[in-house]
Amino acid sequence: MSTVYLPHAPSSASLARRRLNNDLLSWGVSEEVADDAAVILSELLSNALRHARPLPGAEGGIKISWIKVGDTVELAVTDGGAATEPRKGQPALSSLGGRGLGIVEILSQSWGVRRDDQGSTVWAHLHAPSRFSFEESEEQGGETGTPVQNLRQVTR
């Protein structure tokens, strides 16, 4: 498991993505899945920065964590909470924002929110088999993961 405390600032996103990518690749996750995880983390972090307060205390930042258990990676962003619960938006075609959690929903197996007295944690689960088992599944024609990951297998 990796946990990083970062400032409640936009500059935190690139540092978090680099650290996540390095960890996932070292854990044997494919580059494609690591890329999807980076997009998910970016969306969760962007939402926390835009809509939520920093964590309480002297640090006043955001907690970001990820863990791989079996073929699943859980990504989590914890902040000081907001007035509203994070939810998938229904933006108009001309809207500049509001698509983040929709993207998370498409790329992940599931996502949700946990609340406690410190704030809220938005998490997402991503199917992330090791490179060996992913290649083996492809050879056998099996579908694994999210619809986006399965589509990539078919179109290669």
Side-chain angles (χ1 to χ4, degrees):
M1 176 175 194
S2 290
T3 302
V4 182
Y5 289 87
L6 296 170
H8 193 276
S11 60
S12 296
S14 63
L15 177 62
R17 284 191 305 267
R18 276 194 307 273
R19 174 95 184 263
L20 171 68
N21 192 57
N22 289 340
D23 283 356
L24 292 181
L25 293 177
S26 74
W27 294 344
V29 172
S30 73
E31 285 185 38
E32 288 177 334
V33 174
D35 289 346
D36 286 350
V39 170
I40 292 169
L41 184 65
S42 291
E43 294 299 339
L44 297 181
L45 184 54
S46 294
N47 282 349
L49 293 171
R50 177 171 290 159
H51 302 292
R53 296 178 296 276
L55 286 165
E59 303 288 319
I62 293 179
K63 175 183 169 186
I64 303 167
S65 61
W66 50 89
I67 186 170
K68 185 173 189 295
V69 178
D71 284 350
T72 300
V73 168
E74 180 179 281
L75 307 169
V77 175
T78 303
D79 55 48
T84 60
E85 181 91 3
R87 59 180 162 67
K88 186 177 107 176
Q90 300 293 330
L93 290 175
S94 60
S95 294
L96 296 177
R99 293 175 179 78
L101 290 175
I103 292 168
V104 170
E105 187 171 275
I106 289 169
L107 293 177
S108 69
Q109 289 180 300
S110 58
W111 71 275
V113 181
R114 293 187 292 259
R115 287 191 175 269
D116 62 26
D117 58 343
Q118 296 293 307
S120 62
T121 300
V122 182
W123 57 267
H125 290 165
L126 180 65
H127 186 69
S130 70
R131 280 176 252 174
F132 175 74
S133 65
F134 187 71
E135 290 166 3
E136 184 177 89
S137 174
E138 263 188 328
E139 290 170 9
Q140 296 170 1
E143 288 190 357
T144 61
T146 66
V148 172
Q149 290 170 337
N150 292 336
L151 179 61
R152 286 185 190 142
Q153 288 180 25
V154 171
T155 58
R156 282 193 217 175

